[in-house]
Amino acid sequence: MAVARMPAARSALRVLSLLAEQAGPVRAATIARELGLPRSSAYQLLQVMRDEGFLVHYPELGAWGPSARVQQIGSRVAAATRLERLAQPILDRLVAAATVPATSHLAVLAGSDVAYAGRGEGRRSPATVSRVGVRLPAVRTATGRAMLAALGDDQVRALLPHDRDLAGERPATRAALTTMLAAVRRRGWATEEGEVDPAYGSVAAAAFDAAGVPATSVGLTFRLLDAGPVDGPAWAALGERCAGAAAELGRRLGAARAGLEAAQPEQTGPEVG
């Protein structure tokens, strides 16, 4: 079967599937024969996949195998799937218990972004952008701010070392971010008011794993008109519910003490706000 009659993406996926089933590296001629590809096309495909970091070539064997990058992707997918399964009942209960119509979500840090890994909805839940797989800047979201606060200032500085990393965001400077995260730590949950969507707000809290690392965060998103002012009782009630849900998820992840304080290093940032 010529590559021209098969999309390159499909061919690449078939190569990965074939290699995943083998105990060791596989020769290019074998790959071509098993997948019904012309040898010249198979060699070109393998070289492109190597250049993109998905395959490793073993010159002494004249063979190919999956790279560490593929294994890392598989590990991340497995971890996200495990998290989602552990969290889904908690996300569903969180929506059901919310004092206003809301959508719950599960998020993980991906560099300086958050990636949504789970979602809970009820009959009255509003539509939100927090679909599974969506990524947003962590400083813009409540779920991201909850995890940044849980990391501590030194780790946040490593992720966002310069003011230019916050261009167009609120907070817009490192000093303002440090102040905001200090407030999140004291309160136990983070907020976001109209910064992802002008009509919506969110609250979120971090959940820790057995090593005391913030593995994920649990959040609620709702219409601003339903919740009232950000410093009002409705926001506080929703934030406390997220903190409780995060603590429950932390216990499922094996955390000795689930909660924002569980893994906090000594903080040296401002104590304002």
mmCIF file of all heavy atoms in Angstrom, residues 88-122:
data_model
loop_
_atom_site.group_PDB
_atom_site.id
_atom_site.type_symbol
_atom_site.label_atom_id
_atom_site.label_comp_id
_atom_site.label_asym_id
_atom_site.label_seq_id
_atom_site.Cartn_x
_atom_site.Cartn_y
_atom_site.Cartn_z
ATOM 1 N N GLN A 88 -13.664 11.927 39.231
ATOM 2 C CA GLN A 88 -14.976 12.142 38.643
ATOM 3 C C GLN A 88 -16.118 12.129 39.660
ATOM 4 O O GLN A 88 -16.978 13.019 39.634
ATOM 5 C CB GLN A 88 -15.245 11.115 37.540
ATOM 6 C CG GLN A 88 -16.444 11.488 36.664
ATOM 7 C CD GLN A 88 -16.235 12.827 35.961
ATOM 8 O OE1 GLN A 88 -15.257 13.022 35.247
ATOM 9 N NE2 GLN A 88 -17.154 13.759 36.182
ATOM 10 N N PRO A 89 -16.184 11.160 40.584
ATOM 11 C CA PRO A 89 -17.276 11.212 41.568
ATOM 12 C C PRO A 89 -17.226 12.474 42.421
ATOM 13 O O PRO A 89 -18.280 13.022 42.786
ATOM 14 C CB PRO A 89 -17.040 9.953 42.421
ATOM 15 C CG PRO A 89 -16.216 9.054 41.567
ATOM 16 C CD PRO A 89 -15.345 9.952 40.754
ATOM 17 N N ILE A 90 -16.024 12.935 42.718
ATOM 18 C CA ILE A 90 -15.871 14.149 43.513
ATOM 19 C C ILE A 90 -16.336 15.360 42.716
ATOM 20 O O ILE A 90 -17.024 16.244 43.247
ATOM 21 C CB ILE A 90 -14.395 14.304 43.948
ATOM 22 C CG1 ILE A 90 -14.005 13.143 44.860
ATOM 23 C CG2 ILE A 90 -14.157 15.638 44.636
ATOM 24 C CD1 ILE A 90 -12.527 13.094 45.194
ATOM 25 N N LEU A 91 -15.980 15.418 41.432
ATOM 26 C CA LEU A 91 -16.424 16.518 40.583
ATOM 27 C C LEU A 91 -17.942 16.558 40.465
ATOM 28 O O LEU A 91 -18.560 17.631 40.499
ATOM 29 C CB LEU A 91 -15.797 16.387 39.192
ATOM 30 C CG LEU A 91 -14.274 16.497 39.091
ATOM 31 C CD1 LEU A 91 -13.825 16.239 37.656
ATOM 32 C CD2 LEU A 91 -13.792 17.853 39.557
ATOM 33 N N ASP A 92 -18.549 15.385 40.338
ATOM 34 C CA ASP A 92 -20.005 15.325 40.212
ATOM 35 C C ASP A 92 -20.689 15.784 41.499
ATOM 36 O O ASP A 92 -21.676 16.534 41.459
ATOM 37 C CB ASP A 92 -20.441 13.906 39.862
ATOM 38 C CG ASP A 92 -19.991 13.477 38.468
ATOM 39 O OD1 ASP A 92 -19.705 14.360 37.640
ATOM 40 O OD2 ASP A 92 -19.920 12.259 38.218
ATOM 41 N N ARG A 93 -20.164 15.360 42.649
ATOM 42 C CA ARG A 93 -20.755 15.782 43.926
ATOM 43 C C ARG A 93 -20.554 17.272 44.160
ATOM 44 O O ARG A 93 -21.421 17.943 44.738
ATOM 45 C CB ARG A 93 -20.150 14.981 45.073
ATOM 46 C CG ARG A 93 -20.606 13.530 45.134
ATOM 47 C CD ARG A 93 -20.297 12.893 46.463
ATOM 48 N NE ARG A 93 -18.861 12.764 46.705
ATOM 49 C CZ ARG A 93 -18.142 11.712 46.345
ATOM 50 N NH1 ARG A 93 -18.716 10.694 45.696
ATOM 51 N NH2 ARG A 93 -16.853 11.648 46.614
ATOM 52 N N LEU A 94 -19.418 17.783 43.711
ATOM 53 C CA LEU A 94 -19.137 19.207 43.881
ATOM 54 C C LEU A 94 -20.148 20.059 43.131
ATOM 55 O O LEU A 94 -20.646 21.071 43.657
ATOM 56 C CB LEU A 94 -17.723 19.502 43.393
ATOM 57 C CG LEU A 94 -17.162 20.900 43.618
ATOM 58 C CD1 LEU A 94 -17.137 21.252 45.094
ATOM 59 C CD2 LEU A 94 -15.764 21.003 43.017
ATOM 60 N N VAL A 95 -20.475 19.670 41.924
ATOM 61 C CA VAL A 95 -21.490 20.392 41.141
ATOM 62 C C VAL A 95 -22.848 20.304 41.822
ATOM 63 O O VAL A 95 -23.567 21.302 41.948
ATOM 64 C CB VAL A 95 -21.567 19.822 39.708
ATOM 65 C CG1 VAL A 95 -22.808 20.331 38.990
ATOM 66 C CG2 VAL A 95 -20.326 20.204 38.925
ATOM 67 N N ALA A 96 -23.203 19.109 42.283
ATOM 68 C CA ALA A 96 -24.515 18.914 42.904
ATOM 69 C C ALA A 96 -24.673 19.736 44.180
ATOM 70 O O ALA A 96 -25.776 20.195 44.499
ATOM 71 C CB ALA A 96 -24.721 17.434 43.208
ATOM 72 N N ALA A 97 -23.572 19.951 44.902
ATOM 73 C CA ALA A 97 -23.639 20.663 46.185
ATOM 74 C C ALA A 97 -23.408 22.164 46.051
ATOM 75 O O ALA A 97 -23.561 22.890 47.034
ATOM 76 C CB ALA A 97 -22.611 20.073 47.147
ATOM 77 N N ALA A 98 -23.034 22.636 44.863
ATOM 78 C CA ALA A 98 -22.737 24.057 44.685
ATOM 79 C C ALA A 98 -23.971 24.908 44.960
ATOM 80 O O ALA A 98 -25.096 24.533 44.618
ATOM 81 C CB ALA A 98 -22.219 24.299 43.275
ATOM 82 N N THR A 99 -23.755 26.060 45.550
ATOM 83 C CA THR A 99 -24.858 26.945 45.926
ATOM 84 C C THR A 99 -25.393 27.746 44.752
ATOM 85 O O THR A 99 -26.420 28.418 44.883
ATOM 86 C CB THR A 99 -24.395 27.892 47.037
ATOM 87 O OG1 THR A 99 -23.186 28.552 46.610
ATOM 88 C CG2 THR A 99 -24.111 27.126 48.321
ATOM 89 N N VAL A 100 -24.706 27.725 43.614
ATOM 90 C CA VAL A 100 -25.169 28.360 42.377
ATOM 91 C C VAL A 100 -24.935 27.375 41.241
ATOM 92 O O VAL A 100 -24.126 26.448 41.376
ATOM 93 C CB VAL A 100 -24.412 29.681 42.097
ATOM 94 C CG1 VAL A 100 -24.626 30.688 43.213
ATOM 95 C CG2 VAL A 100 -22.920 29.422 41.891
ATOM 96 N N PRO A 101 -25.630 27.516 40.102
ATOM 97 C CA PRO A 101 -25.346 26.637 38.962
ATOM 98 C C PRO A 101 -23.869 26.754 38.567
ATOM 99 O O PRO A 101 -23.354 27.851 38.355
ATOM 100 C CB PRO A 101 -26.271 27.169 37.864
ATOM 101 C CG PRO A 101 -27.375 27.850 38.607
ATOM 102 C CD PRO A 101 -26.742 28.455 39.819
ATOM 103 N N ALA A 102 -23.189 25.625 38.486
ATOM 104 C CA ALA A 102 -21.744 25.662 38.250
ATOM 105 C C ALA A 102 -21.296 24.436 37.464
ATOM 106 O O ALA A 102 -22.007 23.431 37.380
ATOM 107 C CB ALA A 102 -20.991 25.720 39.578
ATOM 108 N N THR A 103 -20.112 24.533 36.890
ATOM 109 C CA THR A 103 -19.418 23.418 36.251
ATOM 110 C C THR A 103 -18.135 23.174 37.025
ATOM 111 O O THR A 103 -17.425 24.122 37.367
ATOM 112 C CB THR A 103 -19.076 23.758 34.788
ATOM 113 O OG1 THR A 103 -20.285 23.988 34.076
ATOM 114 C CG2 THR A 103 -18.313 22.614 34.133
ATOM 115 N N SER A 104 -17.845 21.929 37.331
ATOM 116 C CA SER A 104 -16.597 21.619 38.041
ATOM 117 C C SER A 104 -15.558 21.132 37.052
ATOM 118 O O SER A 104 -15.878 20.635 35.977
ATOM 119 C CB SER A 104 -16.830 20.550 39.116
ATOM 120 O OG SER A 104 -17.259 19.337 38.535
ATOM 121 N N HIS A 105 -14.298 21.296 37.423
ATOM 122 C CA HIS A 105 -13.251 20.834 36.536
ATOM 123 C C HIS A 105 -12.008 20.446 37.319
ATOM 124 O O HIS A 105 -11.783 20.876 38.450
ATOM 125 C CB HIS A 105 -12.911 21.878 35.468
ATOM 126 C CG HIS A 105 -12.981 23.285 35.927
ATOM 127 N ND1 HIS A 105 -14.099 24.059 35.772
ATOM 128 C CD2 HIS A 105 -12.089 24.059 36.565
ATOM 129 C CE1 HIS A 105 -13.893 25.254 36.278
ATOM 130 N NE2 HIS A 105 -12.666 25.284 36.773
ATOM 131 N N LEU A 106 -11.226 19.605 36.673
ATOM 132 C CA LEU A 106 -9.961 19.104 37.203
ATOM 133 C C LEU A 106 -8.868 19.600 36.273
ATOM 134 O O LEU A 106 -8.996 19.497 35.056
ATOM 135 C CB LEU A 106 -9.988 17.577 37.218
ATOM 136 C CG LEU A 106 -8.803 16.824 37.805
ATOM 137 C CD1 LEU A 106 -8.854 16.893 39.325
ATOM 138 C CD2 LEU A 106 -8.834 15.367 37.346
ATOM 139 N N ALA A 107 -7.779 20.135 36.836
ATOM 140 C CA ALA A 107 -6.717 20.676 35.996
ATOM 141 C C ALA A 107 -5.357 20.260 36.530
ATOM 142 O O ALA A 107 -5.189 20.021 37.727
ATOM 143 C CB ALA A 107 -6.807 22.200 35.933
ATOM 144 N N VAL A 108 -4.387 20.157 35.629
ATOM 145 C CA VAL A 108 -3.004 19.842 36.002
ATOM 146 C C VAL A 108 -2.095 20.899 35.387
ATOM 147 O O VAL A 108 -2.428 21.504 34.366
ATOM 148 C CB VAL A 108 -2.585 18.440 35.523
ATOM 149 C CG1 VAL A 108 -3.410 17.365 36.221
ATOM 150 C CG2 VAL A 108 -2.724 18.311 34.011
ATOM 151 N N LEU A 109 -0.952 21.130 36.026
ATOM 152 C CA LEU A 109 0.017 22.064 35.471
ATOM 153 C C LEU A 109 0.741 21.435 34.290
ATOM 154 O O LEU A 109 1.151 20.281 34.345
ATOM 155 C CB LEU A 109 1.040 22.459 36.534
ATOM 156 C CG LEU A 109 0.734 23.670 37.413
ATOM 157 C CD1 LEU A 109 1.881 23.918 38.375
ATOM 158 C CD2 LEU A 109 0.444 24.918 36.588
ATOM 159 N N ALA A 110 0.915 22.209 33.233
ATOM 160 C CA ALA A 110 1.689 21.796 32.065
ATOM 161 C C ALA A 110 2.629 22.950 31.747
ATOM 162 O O ALA A 110 2.297 23.832 30.970
ATOM 163 C CB ALA A 110 0.772 21.486 30.886
ATOM 164 N N GLY A 111 3.783 22.978 32.388
ATOM 165 C CA GLY A 111 4.667 24.124 32.286
ATOM 166 C C GLY A 111 4.040 25.308 32.996
ATOM 167 O O GLY A 111 3.642 25.214 34.156
ATOM 168 N N SER A 112 3.902 26.421 32.298
ATOM 169 C CA SER A 112 3.256 27.597 32.882
ATOM 170 C C SER A 112 1.775 27.672 32.526
ATOM 171 O O SER A 112 1.126 28.676 32.794
ATOM 172 C CB SER A 112 3.967 28.875 32.417
ATOM 173 O OG SER A 112 3.919 28.983 30.996
ATOM 174 N N ASP A 113 1.241 26.599 31.940
ATOM 175 C CA ASP A 113 -0.186 26.512 31.621
ATOM 176 C C ASP A 113 -0.890 25.529 32.554
ATOM 177 O O ASP A 113 -0.242 24.765 33.273
ATOM 178 C CB ASP A 113 -0.393 26.012 30.185
ATOM 179 C CG ASP A 113 0.068 26.999 29.144
ATOM 180 O OD1 ASP A 113 0.241 28.188 29.470
ATOM 181 O OD2 ASP A 113 0.268 26.577 27.991
ATOM 182 N N VAL A 114 -2.215 25.567 32.513
ATOM 183 C CA VAL A 114 -3.005 24.478 33.082
ATOM 184 C C VAL A 114 -3.670 23.737 31.929
ATOM 185 O O VAL A 114 -4.059 24.341 30.932
ATOM 186 C CB VAL A 114 -4.085 24.953 34.073
ATOM 187 C CG1 VAL A 114 -3.471 25.397 35.372
ATOM 188 C CG2 VAL A 114 -4.955 26.043 33.484
ATOM 189 N N ALA A 115 -3.773 22.430 32.068
ATOM 190 C CA ALA A 115 -4.482 21.594 31.105
ATOM 191 C C ALA A 115 -5.636 20.938 31.836
ATOM 192 O O ALA A 115 -5.457 20.366 32.916
ATOM 193 C CB ALA A 115 -3.549 20.538 30.524
ATOM 194 N N TYR A 116 -6.831 21.041 31.280
ATOM 195 C CA TYR A 116 -8.005 20.467 31.928
ATOM 196 C C TYR A 116 -8.067 18.969 31.676
ATOM 197 O O TYR A 116 -7.962 18.509 30.544
ATOM 198 C CB TYR A 116 -9.272 21.164 31.433
ATOM 199 C CG TYR A 116 -9.349 22.594 31.919
ATOM 200 C CD1 TYR A 116 -8.998 23.651 31.097
ATOM 201 C CD2 TYR A 116 -9.728 22.869 33.223
ATOM 202 C CE1 TYR A 116 -9.030 24.962 31.545
ATOM 203 C CE2 TYR A 116 -9.766 24.176 33.688
ATOM 204 C CZ TYR A 116 -9.424 25.212 32.851
ATOM 205 O OH TYR A 116 -9.439 26.509 33.312
ATOM 206 N N ALA A 117 -8.224 18.210 32.762
ATOM 207 C CA ALA A 117 -8.166 16.750 32.694
ATOM 208 C C ALA A 117 -9.469 16.085 33.091
ATOM 209 O O ALA A 117 -9.590 14.864 32.982
ATOM 210 C CB ALA A 117 -7.046 16.227 33.590
ATOM 211 N N GLY A 118 -10.441 16.831 33.546
ATOM 212 C CA GLY A 118 -11.715 16.257 33.959
ATOM 213 C C GLY A 118 -12.757 17.352 34.111
ATOM 214 O O GLY A 118 -12.416 18.539 34.231
ATOM 215 N N ARG A 119 -14.035 16.944 34.142
ATOM 216 C CA ARG A 119 -15.120 17.923 34.144
ATOM 217 C C ARG A 119 -16.371 17.292 34.742
ATOM 218 O O ARG A 119 -16.632 16.108 34.519
ATOM 219 C CB ARG A 119 -15.378 18.370 32.708
ATOM 220 C CG ARG A 119 -16.485 19.398 32.498
ATOM 221 C CD ARG A 119 -16.625 19.649 31.001
ATOM 222 N NE ARG A 119 -17.750 20.527 30.685
ATOM 223 C CZ ARG A 119 -17.628 21.832 30.536
ATOM 224 N NH1 ARG A 119 -16.453 22.407 30.678
ATOM 225 N NH2 ARG A 119 -18.681 22.575 30.230
ATOM 226 N N GLY A 120 -17.104 18.060 35.509
ATOM 227 C CA GLY A 120 -18.376 17.609 36.055
ATOM 228 C C GLY A 120 -19.470 18.612 35.730
ATOM 229 O O GLY A 120 -19.261 19.821 35.831
ATOM 230 N N GLU A 121 -20.634 18.112 35.329
ATOM 231 C CA GLU A 121 -21.738 18.988 34.938
ATOM 232 C C GLU A 121 -23.041 18.498 35.539
ATOM 233 O O GLU A 121 -23.225 17.309 35.777
ATOM 234 C CB GLU A 121 -21.869 19.027 33.419
ATOM 235 C CG GLU A 121 -20.686 19.608 32.690
ATOM 236 C CD GLU A 121 -20.865 19.582 31.181
ATOM 237 O OE1 GLU A 121 -20.594 18.530 30.583
ATOM 238 O OE2 GLU A 121 -21.291 20.601 30.611
ATOM 239 N N GLY A 122 -23.935 19.434 35.756
ATOM 240 C CA GLY A 122 -25.292 19.127 36.188
ATOM 241 C C GLY A 122 -26.288 19.674 35.190
ATOM 242 O O GLY A 122 -25.908 20.270 34.166
#
